[in-house]
Amino acid sequence: MRVEAEIRGLVEALTPVDEVEARHRAECLAWLAGTDDIFRRAKPRTPSPHLVAYFLLHDEADGSVLLVDHRKAGMWLPSGGHVEPGEHPAETVRREVVEELGVPAVFAPRFAERPAFLTVTDTVGAPEDRHTDVSLWFVLSGGRDQKLIPDPGEFRGVRWWTPREVTDAAPATVEPHLGRMLAKLLA
């Protein structure tokens, strides 16, 4: 129960940026209080929700973030993955950034190993594959000059996006909460 208590503490410590994040935080806390196994899941969709750790590589020089064109989701979103049984979400970030981008995790000093944002989102795809993701968003320090080795099995591409490019993107092409996260990050 130690890791579960730490995860609950991470969620409780988040200061919501808006009403949507406040609602998602409340939903997440209710879920955490109402289940005895936050890690249990049978792919692709049961039981829902799934605990996920997203991470944004953030270039402080120009405010840009690295997004991946995710094959399954069919949109640009932050890298990340499911939190494995007994795993702390910060450890998920460390594992996933190496697996997906081939670089070590360097947590942004402002947030350290704590999430900056939280979302509760229904996934896309065939109805039999859909589920709800409870996503803890972490921020990593990075830059456009960083040599990446993206996982071609998961991504059609990767690229750096400025906040303006995210704002100007067609809504269905980027993660639906990304603009709100960037507003919080840049505040």
Side-chain angles (χ1 to χ4, degrees):
M1 285 303 241
R2 184 172 168 262
V3 173
E4 289 88 342
E6 289 179 25
I7 291 168
R8 182 176 182 81
L10 291 173
V11 174
E12 288 172 340
L14 276 166
T15 302
V17 69
D18 57 18
E19 291 179 20
V20 174
E21 189 178 12
R23 183 171 27 87
H24 287 182
R25 181 178 173 271
E27 288 175 27
C28 178
L29 289 171
W31 169 61
L32 292 172
T35 185
D36 61 353
D37 187 357
I38 63 174
F39 304 107
R40 185 189 65 207
R41 69 177 194 280
K43 289 187 177 181
R45 60 179 241 144
T46 55
S48 195
H50 296 181
L51 185 60
V52 171
Y54 266 161
F55 55 89
L56 275 174
L57 263 69
H58 178 238
D59 187 335
E60 290 190 27
D62 67 359
S64 64
V65 293
L66 185 82
L67 299 179
V68 297
D69 185 3
H70 197 273
R71 290 186 185 281
K72 283 187 182 175
M75 67 178 74
W76 291 90
L77 45 83
S79 295
H82 288 94
V83 179
E84 296 297 326
E87 186 175 56
H88 190 283
E91 190 57 37
T92 304
V93 170
R94 282 189 200 86
R95 175 177 52 78
E96 290 284 348
V97 72
V98 171
E99 289 175 9
E100 294 185 351
L101 299 174
V103 296
V106 178
F107 289 88
R110 178 175 160 201
F111 300 103
E113 295 185 11
R114 296 179 316 276
F117 192 62
L118 175 131
T119 57
V120 177
T121 309
D122 292 330
T123 61
V124 297
E128 64 274 8
D129 294 338
R130 292 183 196 159
H131 60 274
T132 300
D133 281 344
V134 172
S135 303
L136 300 173
W137 296 52
F138 292 80
V139 181
L140 302 180
S141 295
R144 292 176 181 263
D145 59 344
Q146 197 167 11
K147 174 130 173 67
L148 303 172
I149 306 168
D151 179 352
E154 283 206 53
F155 314 131
R156 285 187 289 262
V158 301
R159 79 173 183 90
W160 290 91
W161 290 63
T162 66
R164 179 61 185 227
E165 289 173 319
V166 171
T167 301
D168 291 347
T173 63
V174 296
E175 205 286 341
H177 301 288
L178 183 60
R180 293 177 37 255
M181 168 54 181
L182 290 181
K184 186 175 188 178
L185 179 62
L186 300 174

